């Protein structure tokens, strides 16, 4: 475990509280990007009450800090967040002919389930995970970038490296707009492990043509 520059901070109220100013929140993920070489961050215009803070940085496991008390008119100081280096998976995305697929998106199904999709109803202040979306909608959200750094893209040689994964079982999924998605066999990853040699093969799939009368 080591201290790391903070790149993304998200928060939500522990319980429903009075309305507060939205600040610089991303309307879909509820996060605020932080760029500071020393890892310092400041969140302003928070509603008073208990909040849960979620911190992410590329290549590191997402960390949650609960039971943080925000008092009206006061600044809570001295919060130290330590991030653990995540596991990484390296591999290839290929077509059925064995040729590399450039621009495919690769994501861990388990990591994706924890990614928040913030409700556009600002009064409800609810975070809904990708796991609550239909699979097709989750794919659409991934392609639009709402999953952030939980997703990586393949290079011109079809290679990818997906990092920041928590230890445990992960099933990798590859998406591409011109192909049917592919799933790899489940991987059991230790904390901080680097796993190489994973291959996902996309297929063309079929089509249905008909008429509704």
């Amino acid at each position: 475990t080591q201290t790391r520059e903070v790149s993304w901070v998200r928060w939500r109220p522990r319980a429903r509280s009075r309305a507060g100013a939205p600040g610089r929140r991303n309307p879909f993920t509820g996060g605020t990007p932080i760029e500071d070489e020393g890892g310092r961050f400041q969140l302003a215009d928070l509603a008073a009450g208990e909040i849960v803070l979620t911190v992410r940085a590329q290549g590191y496991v997402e960390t949650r800090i609960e039971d943080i008390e925000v008092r009206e008119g006061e600044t809570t100081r001295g919060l130290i967040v330590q991030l653990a280096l995540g596991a990484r998976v390296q591999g290839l995305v290929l077509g059925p002919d064995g040729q590399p697929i450039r621009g495919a998106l690769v994501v861990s199904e388990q990591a994706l389930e924890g990614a928040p999709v913030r409700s556009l109803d600002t009064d409800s202040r609810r975070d809904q995970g990708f796991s609550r979306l239909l699979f097709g909608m989750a794919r659409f959200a991934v392609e639009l970038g709402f999953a952030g750094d939980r997703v990586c893209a393949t290079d011109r040689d079809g290679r990818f490296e997906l990092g920041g994964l928590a230890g445990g079982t992960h099933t990798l999924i590859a998406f591409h707009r011109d192909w049917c998605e592919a799933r790899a066999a489940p991987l059991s990853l230790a904390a901080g492990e680097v796993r190489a040699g994973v291959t996902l093969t996309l297929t063309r799939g079929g089509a249905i043509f008909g008429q509704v009368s």
Side-chain angles (χ1 to χ4, degrees):
T1 302
Q2 54 188 294
T3 302
R4 174 66 175 171
E5 176 182 349
V6 177
S7 64
W8 187 261
V9 179
R10 183 172 67 89
W11 69 94
R12 63 178 174 83
R14 164 61 74 181
R16 186 178 179 86
S17 61
R18 65 174 179 80
R24 294 188 296 146
R25 275 191 289 240
N26 179 300
F28 296 99
T29 62
T32 297
I34 302 294
E35 296 181 359
D36 186 277
E37 293 182 356
R40 296 176 293 269
F41 67 92
Q42 178 177 337
L43 303 175
D45 302 321
L46 298 179
E50 287 189 353
I51 66 169
V52 177
L53 193 69
T54 303
V55 182
R56 290 183 58 80
Q58 187 172 8
Y60 288 74
V61 179
E62 180 175 289
T63 298
R64 288 163 50 93
I65 302 98
E66 302 190 2
D67 301 327
I68 300 174
E69 182 70 24
V70 176
R71 296 183 175 86
E72 188 169 358
E74 298 182 13
T75 299
T76 301
R77 303 179 184 274
L79 183 63
I80 304 297
V81 181
Q82 289 188 314
L83 302 181
L85 189 65
R88 290 181 289 156
V89 179
Q90 303 167 339
L92 292 170
V93 176
L94 305 175
D97 57 357
Q99 294 300 307
I101 303 297
R102 181 179 185 176
L105 300 178
V106 181
V107 63
S108 162
E109 184 176 35
Q110 287 72 21
L112 190 62
E113 288 176 352
V117 179
R118 190 171 183 81
S119 171
L120 293 180
D121 177 5
T122 56
D123 290 333
S124 67
R125 300 181 181 277
R126 292 176 299 176
D127 288 333
Q128 298 189 12
F130 274 80
S131 59
R132 294 191 178 184
L133 298 177
L134 295 175
F135 183 76
M137 291 297 295
R139 172 176 177 168
F140 182 66
V142 167
E143 291 174 344
L144 289 177
F146 295 156
D149 62 1
R150 293 176 175 83
V151 180
C152 68
T154 56
D155 64 14
R156 60 185 300 175
D157 298 316
R159 294 174 299 192
F160 71 87
E161 180 174 281
L162 184 65
L165 301 174
T169 300
H170 292 269
T171 302
L172 299 194
I173 309 173
F175 302 109
H176 193 282
R177 62 182 178 275
D178 297 328
W179 303 82
C180 292
E181 63 272 357
R183 289 171 177 258
L187 303 172
S188 180
L189 301 176
E193 178 184 355
V194 178
R195 180 75 60 89
V198 175
T199 300
L200 295 101
T201 302
L202 301 176
T203 60
R204 283 289 185 188
I208 298 176
F209 178 81
Q211 181 177 356
V212 177
S213 59

